[in-house]
Amino acid sequence: DMTITLDFWNYDFDNPIITEDFNALVSAYAAGGDAKAAVQSQIFCQGGVNDGSCAAAGLERVESMTINGPSIETSGVDIFADYQFEMAGGIAKVGLDLSHTIEYNQDAYYKDGTLISAAYDAAGSLNGARNARPLPDLKGRAFAEFNRDQHNILFYINHITKYDDERYDVTVDAQNTFDLHYQYAFMNEAARVTVSAINFTDEEPPLARLDLNYDGYTHNAFGRMIKVGIEYTFAAE
């Protein structure tokens, strides 16, 4: 009556195709010296010139190339467990499904032998000024389900852990949302009606210092959503 699955995963990517991080290019230009010389042809000042004559504050356009980027190594653990038992004349099930990213290491990026951006571990960070996407290191959900006769009820608790905004030494808060699904199957089981309340407590996404004031890669700003579905299965002749 119990199922437990534990997976360890590890990926090592060499020469991934990426788009250069414009923040890193601007920082290299502002640093001056060899770093500025390495990226100068991609930095354009007022009037469209790219001779390095303007300060970083006066640049107008950054040309970001699609390239074979620095290597990436990432690993993590996925856990799934559920337990089924009889309750109140029906069948109940409880469980959880979690994914933990242990590391997401990106090598340093060099251009013409000059360091443009240092190596970093993106796991557990917003990565707002990096080439990696936001990457909370723990996501998952716990669930409980009850099924009796024509009735099925399914409840989810969804969790996204807190993670760091490395630019400002602040934290994007953790978030918990709750989903509830109810399905009624008519006696002939050919027709089913489902009512769902997604994020039924209407939780807002946590604040993040980005253009939308939240992390759109990770959190959902829709708030509470109510769905009604009707399904009918036709028997084959």
Side-chain angles (χ1 to χ4, degrees):
D1 297 325
M2 177 174 283
T3 300
I4 299 176
T5 303
L6 176 64
D7 292 316
F8 171 78
W9 45 269
N10 176 266
Y11 297 97
D12 193 352
F13 300 101
D14 291 324
N15 300 312
I17 297 175
I18 66 167
T19 301
E20 288 180 304
D21 182 2
F22 69 88
N23 287 304
L25 297 176
V26 172
S27 295
Y29 183 85
D34 292 339
K36 179 178 179 179
V39 302
Q40 180 178 307
S41 63
Q42 297 171 247
I43 306 294
F44 293 83
C45 304
Q46 292 91 341
V49 298
N50 64 340
D51 57 3
S53 58
C54 67
L59 65 88
E60 191 172 75
R61 181 166 61 90
V62 178
E63 189 176 72
S64 182
M65 303 290 190
T66 300
I67 60 167
N68 288 106
S71 297
I72 298 170
E73 183 175 5
T74 181
S75 63
V77 176
D78 294 338
I79 301 172
F80 174 82
D82 71 22
Y83 176 65
Q84 182 174 290
F85 55 96
E86 295 183 2
M87 185 181 76
I91 300 297
K93 182 184 290 188
V94 293
L96 57 84
D97 190 359
L98 300 175
S99 183
H100 171 51
T101 302
I102 298 172
E103 62 178 355
Y104 190 98
N105 293 320
Q106 179 158 317
D107 285 352
Y109 175 42
Y110 291 86
K111 198 175 185 69
D112 297 329
T114 301
L115 178 65
I116 302 300
S117 59
Y120 60 88
D121 182 2
S125 295
L126 179 63
N127 302 307
R130 295 169 172 170
N131 214 32
R133 62 179 174 83
L135 198 63
D137 57 11
L138 179 66
K139 293 182 179 181
R141 57 171 36 177
F143 62 88
E145 183 177 9
F146 180 71
N147 189 60
R148 187 177 72 178
D149 300 327
Q150 292 92 7
H151 305 277
N152 179 270
I153 300 174
L154 180 59
F155 175 65
Y156 286 112
I157 302 174
N158 310 292
H159 175 74
I160 301 174
T161 192
K162 65 181 180 180
Y163 50 109
D164 297 326
D165 185 342
E166 74 289 345
R167 301 168 301 170
Y168 307 112
D169 194 27
V170 297
T171 298
V172 180
D173 291 337
Q175 184 187 41
N176 294 308
T177 59
F178 308 92
D179 305 334
L180 183 63
H181 308 271
Y182 169 74
Q183 183 178 88
Y184 179 80
F186 291 89
M187 290 298 294
N188 60 10
E189 297 185 353
R192 288 171 289 276
V193 176
T194 303
V195 179
S196 299
I198 311 299
N199 185 14
F200 65 79
T201 57
D202 200 25
E203 299 294 321
E204 294 186 354
L207 178 67
R209 296 187 182 185
L210 298 170
D211 290 344
L212 298 175
N213 283 334
Y214 77 98
D215 174 8
Y217 287 94
T218 304
H219 301 107
N220 192 329
F222 283 177
R224 182 187 300 113
M225 294 181 288
I226 307 297
K227 297 182 179 181
V228 177
I230 301 174
E231 179 182 358
Y232 186 84
T233 303
F234 293 91
E237 292 293 339

